[in-house]
Amino acid sequence: MPTPTNPTRIEVVADPVRDRCLLTTGLLSPRRLQADGVVRVALVAASALLLAGDQVELQVVVRGPVRVEIVETAGTVAYAMRGGSARWDVSVQLTDGAELSWHGEPFVVSEGADVARSMTVEMEAGCELAVRESLVFGRHGEIGGTLHSSQRAHLDGQLILAEDLDLTPAARPGWAILGGARCLDSITTLGRRLPDSPDTLQLEGPGSMVRRLVQDQHLSDLAQSWAALSKPDKISECS
């Protein structure tokens, strides 16, 4: 069984003089970067990740009209676990007009890895969240291990996103899952919708999801979509 560890925590509170940023290190180490008009935080592995028994817990709390960006300095590799397993759990709370943008680097599930990955979001109306996530199954020449992915998001207490994906080696080749692809690249927005297009899923509430199934992550065109989404005129500057 995974062994619990202290959670990594990023807490940002808007302030008229200087936005307050409290960072707590767990298995991930958050580090504030110099930036204008935004609180930018980098995530760095504090030790070798992801191994059997690891339980990564990341809490993100943003309060007030401030724009926060989370960037990952490198991808994460879930290594062979020889019958063990690991977890990667993220919780996000946004209140009072907060905006969060999170660009995730590739999360590689190696042969023999067994990972449960979850994200839960609680946000108020007027807040916005944009996340890019790239799941890659197997290193070069590998089929890749097991991943179970779960997402839940509530806006003002109302459920607007609920998804559970069985991404085991047996399930992934299904035509409704990955087919012949080995990478699932996604952009999800909550609190705002992307423009309508044939390949954009509009959620029941304010939110959208767009995905690409590709053989290699660099073949996805979502990098351009993310760059356009992240332009200053697309996301309001913090006050």
Side-chain angles (χ1 to χ4, degrees), residues 94 97-101 123-124 126-130 190-192 234-236:
L94 305 177
E99 298 181 17
L100 175 63
S101 172
M123 56 191 294
E124 295 179 348
C127 297
E128 294 184 6
L129 171 66
L190 299 172
R192 58 167 294 183
K234 298 295 182 182
I235 302 178
S236 60

Side-chain angles (χ1 to χ4, degrees), residues 5 13 16 24 60 82 84 87 104 106 110 129 137 139 152 158 165 167 169-170 172 178 180 183 185 197 205 224 236:
T5 59
V13 180
T24 304
V60 182
R82 297 178 176 84
R87 293 197 61 88
S110 298
L129 171 66
F137 293 93
R139 293 176 290 181
R152 296 290 186 275
Q158 298 296 313
L165 293 177
L167 297 171
R172 288 199 301 270
L178 264 65
C183 176
D185 195 21
S197 71
Q224 294 88 343
S236 60

Side-chain angles (χ1 to χ4, degrees), residues 33-143:
L33 305 176
Q34 291 291 330
D36 294 326
V38 62
V39 176
R40 182 172 294 130
V41 178
L43 286 176
V44 181
S47 60
L49 291 176
L50 190 68
L51 306 175
D54 285 343
Q55 184 167 312
V56 175
E57 182 181 355
L58 176 57
Q59 303 169 351
V60 182
V61 178
V62 187
R63 300 186 178 98
V66 58
R67 182 181 171 207
V68 177
E69 290 181 1
I70 297 176
V71 296
E72 298 178 15
T73 59
T76 297
V77 177
Y79 295 97
M81 297 179 181
R82 297 178 176 84
S85 62
R87 293 197 61 88
W88 186 286
D89 298 311
V90 175
S91 64
V92 176
Q93 296 180 16
L94 305 177
T95 58
D96 301 318
E99 298 181 17
L100 175 63
S101 172
W102 186 341
H103 184 277
E105 293 296 327
F107 188 95
V108 181
V109 184
S110 298
E111 195 84 18
D114 186 349
V115 183
R117 182 177 166 102
S118 74
M119 173 178 279
T120 59
V121 179
E122 298 287 344
M123 56 191 294
E124 295 179 348
C127 297
E128 294 184 6
L129 171 66
V131 179
R132 185 181 180 195
E133 177 184 66
S134 297
L135 304 175
V136 181
F137 293 93
R139 293 176 290 181
H140 181 71
E142 294 182 341
I143 296 175

Side-chain angles (χ1 to χ4, degrees), residues 153-235:
H154 291 84
L155 179 67
D156 283 344
Q158 298 296 313
L159 184 67
I160 61 170
L161 173 61
E163 180 183 64
D164 294 293
L165 293 177
D166 177 1
L167 297 171
T168 57
R172 288 199 301 270
W175 66 269
I177 311 298
L178 264 65
R182 60 184 285 266
C183 176
L184 174 61
D185 195 21
S186 305
I187 293 177
T188 302
T189 63
L190 299 172
R192 58 167 294 183
R193 284 189 169 186
L194 299 173
D196 286 326
S197 71
D199 56 3
T200 298
L201 172 66
Q202 303 293 6
L203 304 181
E204 183 71 17
S208 304
M209 183 180 292
V210 59
R211 282 179 165 159
R212 297 290 186 268
L213 303 179
V214 292
Q215 188 62 24
D216 295 296
Q217 196 264 353
H218 70 273
L219 298 175
S220 171
D221 63 357
L222 291 190
Q224 294 88 343
S225 301
W226 181 264
L229 182 65
S230 302
K231 288 181 180 179
D233 62 340
K234 298 295 182 182
I235 302 178

